[in-house]
Amino acid sequence: MKKTVNILISTIDSGIHNLDNVILEPRDDLSYILVHQYTSEEYKSVPSFLNREDIRISQIKGRGVTRSRNLAIELSDGDIGLFADDDVTYQPGYFDTLIRVFEENPDLDVALFKIKTGPDEPEYKDYPDQIRSIQQAPAVGTVEIGFRINRIKEKEIFFDERFGAGQPLLIGSDERLFVQDCINSGLTVTYFPEYIVNHPFESSVKKLKKYDKRLIWVTGGVDCRLNGPVALLKAFLGTIKHA
């Protein structure tokens, strides 16, 4: 039996009106789970193009993309999950790639893929050319992550809601922590040098300056989350070295 895919879309406020660029023509092995966060009642209206049997919508008030993604995981019921945002686009072949990778690798739990940028843009980042087993989570975008839904649920792995877009300071690295939690739980995580999604080269995090306070805070937050009390000593020694 062919595997079924859930595309787990997170969007907020008026972003729901951009999803006509994200959602493709219906296909039997694919459905969409859309979590729409809204900060005001004026944003609750749902555009008519989303009234389809293969689209399931849940609306929650507030901010925080990790909260949105966690709800999407809870609602997922397919074989394979793929995270999405309202500023990405797909080609039908990407979903075929996703299914093929998991069918050809029965022991695979989580797969990391590549983002394809526009025709006149550089590569999104410097991707490896070969398949790699991941033992230490790299910097990764959420939309690069595909996973076996049942395995994530069995291990009760969710995003750390203290991190991610929508938070005042810990604005990123929720994806890296999610992947590391998968590794620490004994799941098999592998990188595949294949495109899975289209996204512009520029992103909100890339626009931040090197010493932006939010980047400094999230770097310290991730270090503390991964290393516990040792992170304080590392930060102290790093400050002395920098000085």
Side-chain angles (χ1 to χ4, degrees), residues 37-93:
Q37 291 178 293
Y38 61 94
T39 58
S40 171
E41 295 293 324
E42 65 182 292
Y43 295 112
K44 285 194 69 176
S45 63
V46 176
S48 59
F49 68 83
L50 293 176
N51 294 325
R52 284 176 24 179
E53 290 186 0
D54 59 338
I55 301 175
R56 184 175 174 186
I57 302 174
S58 179
Q59 293 183 300
I60 54 173
K61 191 169 186 179
R63 296 182 180 275
V65 69
T66 47
R67 181 184 172 211
S68 170
R69 297 203 194 284
N70 285 341
L71 177 56
I73 292 172
E74 290 179 8
L75 296 174
S76 61
D77 57 4
D79 297 308
I80 304 167
L82 183 68
F83 294 114
D85 290 323
D86 58 25
D87 59 350
V88 303
T89 57
Y90 294 100
Q91 299 175 21

Side-chain angles (χ1 to χ4, degrees), residues 139-159:
V140 61
T142 320
V143 297
E144 297 171 280
I145 304 172
F147 59 97
R148 288 191 199 275
I149 292 171
N150 67 324
R151 295 291 285 150
I152 293 294
K153 289 190 171 186
E154 284 173 5
K155 296 292 186 177
E156 298 182 346
I157 299 172
F158 293 96
F159 286 88

Side-chain angles (χ1 to χ4, degrees), residues 3 8 16 21 24 37 40 46 77 80 87 94 117 123 129 138 143 146 153 159 177 181 193 203-204 230 233 235:
K3 297 188 181 301
L8 312 183
I16 194 171
N21 295 318
L24 302 184
Q37 291 178 293
S40 171
V46 176
D77 57 4
I80 304 167
D87 59 350
Y94 291 161
T117 55
E123 279 270 36
D129 294 328
V143 297
K153 289 190 171 186
F159 286 88
L177 293 175
D181 287 344
S203 66
S204 55
V230 176
L233 177 61

